Amino acid sequence: MSDKPTKQPDGRYTNVDFTKATGFKLPTIQASYLRRDVLLFVRILPPPPHNTETNLPQANAIGCTKSELHFLYELHPNFSCFPTFPINLPFKQTDQDVYDFFARALVKNVPGVPPFDPQRSVDGERGIEILKTLPTSSEGLDLEIIPEIVGVYDKGGNMIQEMVQSLRDSKTGDVYAKMTSKAFGIGQGGYGGPKGPPTVMYSPSGREPDAVHVLQTTDETALLYRLCGDYNPIHADDGFAREGGFKGAFLQGLGTWNIAAHGVLKEMGGSEAGRLKSFKARFANIVYPGDALETRMWKVGGWEIGFE
């Protein structure tokens, strides 16, 4: 009997069994990048004229400023990749041009699992553990990304797919990062699958945060973040996004995730790339262009930092 679910006229699927997906290994992905890609990831633009009356930092991409020149200038003696840079490589892979996002990014042919509907799918959670400092270009490396399905869950009628991806150099066996993700298929569950483990997130103790970082997005933030490798039209095309039930195009989940990571490293780690060892965040709401992103941080012991 085939493990492939079959779509019915009403849009639902038969032959669904989420438990069949656990441990499924997807094809290995090749990856490469240039110093230019590292610079695009953190690039900044001057504030738009209509926002000059505010005191909020204005930026695109993840919001690094000239005070962090080691992320922005390839001839700086300490030129570095921003530590969360690897999170976009599963999208970019080896391309230097725009690619078909849906042909590449949506995970298909997973045993027992219906394909995600791209217009009703968003990031649910992302994490990264940095095991080895990534150089500022992949020259001399044979980078590959090894993806594996950890589990597929059925929560409140929604489908959640959890994956881990390891970034390694096939020549040396060195693993540079392990990246985790939970993709959220809105209204695409309801098949009686496992609910999965509970999500445990840090909750502030009630005291004032030790640091706060604010970044004002613009109408162009999501459009420019696409150059980091996420070409999903739902972040550029208002009509396409409305068809999925959103009020318009919205900022990439990884865009907001990386902005928060930058805020944490800048405020708590002095913008030193090597001080960010792991980072994980759950997505609670949609961010639309023009929204201000505020990251509040608490020191909770040792090198650990809680934020919201």
Side-chain angles (χ1 to χ4, degrees):
M1 183 177 177
S2 172
D3 285 328
K4 187 175 181 179
T6 303
K7 191 173 184 178
Q8 302 302 303
D10 64 357
R12 300 293 286 172
Y13 287 79
T14 58
N15 197 31
V16 174
D17 184 355
F18 288 171
T19 63
K20 292 180 179 179
T22 302
F24 180 71
K25 292 180 172 57
L26 289 97
T28 296
I29 301 165
Q30 304 302 310
S32 63
Y33 61 95
L34 307 173
R35 291 180 298 170
R36 183 174 181 274
D37 299 309
V38 173
L39 293 171
L40 283 172
F41 184 71
V42 296
R43 71 198 179 285
I44 58 172
L45 290 179
H50 61 281
N51 278 338
T52 53
E53 71 274 11
T54 73
N55 293 319
L56 298 179
Q58 317 285 332
N60 290 282
I62 70 171
C64 288
T65 62
K66 191 174 180 180
S67 65
E68 302 164 287
L69 197 59
H70 56 293
F71 291 134
L72 296 162
Y73 179 43
E74 73 281 0
L75 298 182
H76 191 282
N78 294 323
F79 180 47
S80 304
C81 274
F82 193 83
T84 59
F85 173 78
I87 204 76
N88 280 345
L89 288 178
F91 288 132
K92 179 193 172 300
Q93 299 183 16
T94 60
D95 283 336
Q96 290 300 318
D97 199 0
V98 177
Y99 60 85
D100 183 334
F101 178 86
F102 296 129
R104 171 176 301 176
L106 291 180
V107 178
K108 295 171 286 190
N109 301 319
V110 178
V113 178
F116 274 90
D117 179 345
Q119 289 183 304
R120 296 188 300 141
S121 301
V122 295
D123 258 325
E125 186 177 294
R126 289 280 185 162
I128 187 170
E129 181 183 5
I130 298 136
L131 303 173
K132 184 178 176 67
T133 301
L134 202 64
T136 54
S137 84
S138 63
E139 184 178 2
L141 304 179
D142 284 335
L143 290 179
E144 60 182 14
I145 299 165
I146 305 169
E148 180 178 347
I149 303 294
V150 176
V152 180
Y153 314 123
D154 208 329
K155 292 190 177 182
N158 302 308
M159 178 170 63
I160 297 175
Q161 183 173 275
E162 184 174 8
M163 183 188 301
V164 62
Q165 300 180 90
S166 298
L167 175 66
R168 70 188 289 268
D169 180 3
S170 63
K171 291 196 299 188
T172 64
D174 290 342
V175 178
Y176 285 89
K178 288 190 175 181
M179 300 168 283
T180 59
S181 64
K182 288 183 180 178
F184 195 89
I186 301 168
Q188 298 173 58
Y191 293 100
K195 292 184 178 180
T199 300
V200 179
M201 302 299 290
Y202 174 77
S203 179
S205 62
R207 63 184 174 88
E208 289 297 309
D210 296 300
V212 177
H213 179 267
V214 181
L215 185 138
Q216 175 67 51
T217 69
T218 71
D219 290 343
E220 293 75 32
T221 300
L223 295 168
L224 291 169
Y225 186 84
R226 298 176 79 241
L227 299 181
C228 297
D230 185 346
Y231 294 109
N232 189 337
I234 208 165
H235 305 304
D237 187 330
D238 287 331
F240 182 87
R242 290 190 190 105
E243 289 175 8
F246 303 97
K247 70 178 186 181
F250 54 92
L251 190 59
Q252 293 86 343
L254 278 180
T256 63
W257 187 89
N258 280 303
I259 288 168
H262 169 243
V264 169
L265 184 61
K266 183 174 184 179
E267 302 297 335
M268 291 291 197
S271 295
E272 295 179 24
R275 297 186 71 181
L276 187 62
K277 301 298 184 184
S278 65
F279 184 79
K280 186 176 182 180
R282 182 183 182 189
F283 302 103
N285 212 334
I286 299 294
V287 176
Y288 288 100
D291 288 344
L293 298 174
E294 181 174 307
T295 306
R296 303 169 191 158
M297 294 156 255
W298 289 262
K299 296 178 183 178
V300 294
W303 288 94
E304 187 179 358
I305 297 169
F307 70 98
E308 66 172 13

